[in-house]
C-alpha cells in the first residue's frame, strides 16, 4: 500500500508519520510546503511544494493507494489563505487523486463545522453552521467537495476531530503551559463546570490508521473523533497546574464581561484569540464518538487530563527549541499580546 501524507511537517503530520513508521509502513511519501528537521534522517521521500502546483501533484499521485490529507490552515490565518489552502487545495488534490485512481482519500476535517452547537453530545448528522468565521466555512466547503467525489465513486472518509493536543502542539495552549511553568494561576471564562472535550493526537492517528485499514464500505463515511473520558473544563485545566507543582489554581472569570472585553481586544488585534474559540469555551462542547467506536473499532487511549499533562511535559522538555519564537500556527507559540500583561496578576 503506497501512502501519500500531506501536511507532513505539521503537528498531526509528524505524529502521523511516526505512527505509520512504527507500524511498519514503508511505502510512504511525505509532502508539505516546508520541510521539518524531523525528516532529516527519514529514508522515505519528502516532497516540498504547494498542493496547488498542478504538475507536482499529478506526478506524486501516480500509483498512490491512499491519501491522508492533513494539510490545512489554522483558524488564525487570513481569510484568503484559509480559502486557498483548505478549499482550493483540497479541490485540486481530490481531482488529481481521482484521475490517478487513488483508492481512498482520507480527509481530516474539524468539529469547527458544527460552529457553536446548541447541545452536546454532537452527532455526525447535526446541522453544520457556516456563518461563524472563514475557517468554519472553509471546512464545510471542503467536506462538500469530499461528498462530490464520493458520488463519483471514490472512497472519501471524513474525520472530524476535536481540538487535538500532544507532542508538537503549541498555539494557544502555549499560554497555559507558559503560565503553569512560571508558577502562575490561569484564568478561564465562565463557571468552569462545563464539559469540554479534547483529543490526543495519538488517538487521532489511531482513528486515521483504522480508517485506512477498514474496507471501503465501512470507512466511506463521516466520523467524530474525540476523547472518551473528560471532566469539567476547570478540573481538566487544573491538572496542568497540578503537574507544574506550584499549588496554583484555575481562576474563573465571569463570562459576560470577559466576552465583551475579548471581542474588543480581538477587534484591536491585541490578543491571539478568535471569536468562536472564546465563545465555545464557556459551553458544554463534546461530540459522540459512538459511530467511530462501533464502525472503525476506535478506542481512545488518553483522557483530557492525560492529554493536557502529556502536552505540558512535552512543552517543558522541548522549551529551548521554540523559546523566543512566535507565530500563528499550531506548531509555534502564539503571541500573548495583551494577555501577557495580565500574567503578573495570577
Amino acid at each position: 500500500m503506497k501512502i501519500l501524507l500531506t501536511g507532513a511537517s505539521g503537528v498531526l503530520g509528524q505524529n502521523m508519520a511516526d505512527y505509520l513508521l512504527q507500524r511498519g509502513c514503508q511505502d510512504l511519501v511525505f509532502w508539505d510546503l516546508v520541510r521539518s528537521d524531523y525528516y532529516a534522517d527519514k529514508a522515505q521521500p519528502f516532497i516540498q511544494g504547494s498542493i496547488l502546483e498542478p504538475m507536482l501533484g499529478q506526478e506524486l499521485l501516480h500509483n498512490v493507494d491512499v491519501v491522508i490529507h492533513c494539510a490545512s490552515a489554522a483558524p488564525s490565518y487570513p481569510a484568503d489563505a484559509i480559502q486557498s489552502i483548505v478549499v482550493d487545495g483540497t479541490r485540486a488534490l481530490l481531482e488529481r487523486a481521482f484521475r490517478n485512481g487513488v483508492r481512498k482519500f482520507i480527509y481530516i476535517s474539524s468539529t469547527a463545522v458544527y460552529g457553536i452547537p446548541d447541545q452536546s453530545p454532537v452527532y455526525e448528522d447535526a446541522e453544520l453552521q457556516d456563518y461563524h468565521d472563514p475557517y468554519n466555512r472553509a471546512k464545510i466547503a471542503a467536506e462538500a467537495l469530499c461528498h462530490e467525489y464520493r458520488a463519483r465513486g471514490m472512497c472519501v472518509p471524513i474525520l472530524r476531530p476535536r481540538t487535538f493536543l500532544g507532542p508538537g502542539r503549541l498555539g494557544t495552549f502555549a499560554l497555559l503551559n507558559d503560565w503553569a511553568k512560571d508558577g502562575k494561576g490561569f484564568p478561564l471564562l465562565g463557571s468552569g463546570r462545563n464539559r469540554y472535550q479534547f483529543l490526543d493526537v495519538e488517538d487521532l492517528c489511531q482513528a486515521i490508521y483504522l480508517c485506512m485499514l477498514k474496507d471501503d464500505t465501512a470507512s466511506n463515511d463521516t466520523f467524530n473523533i474525540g476523547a472518551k473520558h473528560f471532566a469539567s473544563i476547570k478540573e481538566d485545566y487544573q491538572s496542568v497546574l497540578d503537574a507544574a507543582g506550584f499549588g496554583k489554581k484555575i481562576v474563573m472569570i465571569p463570562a459576560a464581561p470577559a466576552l465583551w472585553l475579548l471581542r474588543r481586544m480581538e477587534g484591536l488585534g491585541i490578543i491571539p484569540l478568535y471569536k468562536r474559540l472564546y465563545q465555545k469555551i464557556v459551553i458544554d462542547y463534546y461530540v459522540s464518538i459512538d459511530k467511530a467506536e462501533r464502525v472503525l473499532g476506535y478506542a481512545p487511549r488518553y483522557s483530557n487530563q492525560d492529554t493536557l499533562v502529556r502536552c505540558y511535559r512535552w512543552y517543558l522538555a522541548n522549551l529551548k527549541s521554540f523559546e523566543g519564537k512566535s507565530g500563528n500556527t499550531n506548531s509555534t507559540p502564539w503571541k500573548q499580546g495583551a494577555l501577557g500583561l495580565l500574567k503578573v496578576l495570577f
Side-chain angles (χ1 to χ4, degrees):
M1 186 185 296
K2 184 175 181 180
I3 303 163
L4 173 66
L5 176 67
T6 73
S9 290
V11 176
L12 175 56
Q14 288 189 185
N15 280 277
M16 192 69 222
D18 261 345
Y19 199 90
L20 292 169
L21 291 168
Q22 288 166 8
R23 281 152 186 79
C25 300
Q26 293 297 320
D27 198 359
L28 303 171
V29 179
F30 303 122
W31 188 4
D32 208 330
L33 188 60
V34 295
R35 182 181 181 126
S36 165
D37 292 342
Y38 164 88
Y39 292 98
D41 61 349
K42 301 292 186 291
Q44 293 75 16
F46 187 102
I47 309 302
Q48 186 171 349
S50 167
I51 57 175
L52 291 168
E53 293 176 30
M55 294 309 297
L56 182 61
Q58 198 67 23
E59 284 179 22
L60 284 180
L61 287 157
H62 186 61
N63 291 331
V64 166
D65 299 293
V66 176
V67 171
I68 303 174
H69 187 30
C70 298
S72 189
S76 55
Y77 280 22
D80 58 345
I82 292 172
Q83 171 70 26
S84 176
I85 296 167
V86 176
V87 183
D88 300 339
T90 300
R91 179 188 291 110
L93 198 60
L94 275 165
E95 180 59 26
R96 292 171 208 154
F98 181 76
R99 289 179 186 174
N100 277 273
V102 171
R103 183 177 65 83
K104 186 176 288 189
F105 187 108
I106 303 173
Y107 180 61
I108 313 304
S109 184
S110 168
T111 54
V113 298
Y114 300 125
I116 310 293
D118 296 328
Q119 60 183 18
S120 290
V122 184
Y123 294 88
E124 287 86 352
D125 60 357
E127 176 192 5
L128 305 187
Q129 302 177 8
D130 63 352
Y131 47 81
H132 289 280
D133 51 62
Y135 180 81
N136 154 262
R137 290 190 290 274
K139 283 295 186 180
I140 292 173
E143 284 197 12
L145 293 169
C146 292
H147 286 289
E148 287 181 21
Y149 282 84
R150 272 188 197 167
R152 294 171 69 177
M154 187 187 288
C155 179
V156 190
I158 298 171
L159 300 185
R160 293 173 178 164
R162 290 293 296 124
T163 301
F164 59 85
L165 309 174
R169 181 64 189 253
L170 292 164
T172 56
F173 292 94
L175 274 72
L176 170 63
N177 293 334
D178 175 65
W179 288 34
K181 168 186 69 71
D182 289 346
K184 301 294 183 178
F186 193 77
L188 275 181
L189 307 187
S191 68
R193 293 190 293 271
N194 59 304
R195 301 180 69 207
Y196 194 87
Q197 180 186 37
F198 288 113
L199 169 65
D200 195 282
V201 68
E202 185 178 312
D203 286 334
L204 177 52
C205 291
Q206 178 207 146
I208 296 169
Y209 187 69
L210 289 168
C211 218
M212 188 179 82
L213 298 183
K214 281 287 181 180
D215 64 76
D216 292 359
T217 303
S219 62
N220 196 22
D221 207 340
T222 301
F223 302 94
N224 289 331
I225 307 296
K228 189 174 182 69
H229 300 291
F230 46 97
S232 71
I233 192 167
K234 183 178 181 180
E235 292 172 283
D236 288 342
Y237 271 60
Q238 183 62 46
S239 66
V240 176
L241 300 187
D242 291 345
F246 293 100
K248 295 296 183 177
K249 298 295 181 183
I250 295 295
V251 179
M252 303 314 302
I253 309 295
L259 288 171
W260 180 89
L261 181 59
L262 286 170
R263 281 194 291 271
R264 275 138 191 85
M265 293 170 76
E266 181 193 6
L268 294 171
I270 59 175
I271 59 170
L273 308 178
Y274 53 94
K275 185 177 179 181
R276 183 169 48 82
L277 173 63
Y278 53 75
Q279 281 188 324
K280 66 184 181 178
I281 205 76
V282 300
I283 63 172
D284 282 332
Y285 195 167
Y286 52 95
V287 298
S288 169
I289 60 171
D290 293 351
K291 186 176 177 183
E293 290 178 308
R294 184 180 70 254
V295 176
L296 300 178
Y298 173 60
R301 176 181 175 187
Y302 297 96
S303 69
N304 266 13
Q305 293 183 19
D306 294 334
T307 297
L308 285 160
V309 171
R310 190 165 96 96
C311 190
Y312 173 66
R313 288 178 176 153
W314 176 88
Y315 177 90
L316 292 180
N318 292 273
L319 187 60
K320 288 185 179 178
S321 67
F322 49 80
E323 204 164 25
K325 298 178 181 178
S326 64
N328 63 347
T329 69
N330 291 330
S331 56
T332 56
W334 285 11
K335 292 180 180 178
Q336 297 191 30
L339 296 178
L341 302 176
L342 301 177
K343 192 175 175 182
V344 295
L345 304 176
F346 292 85

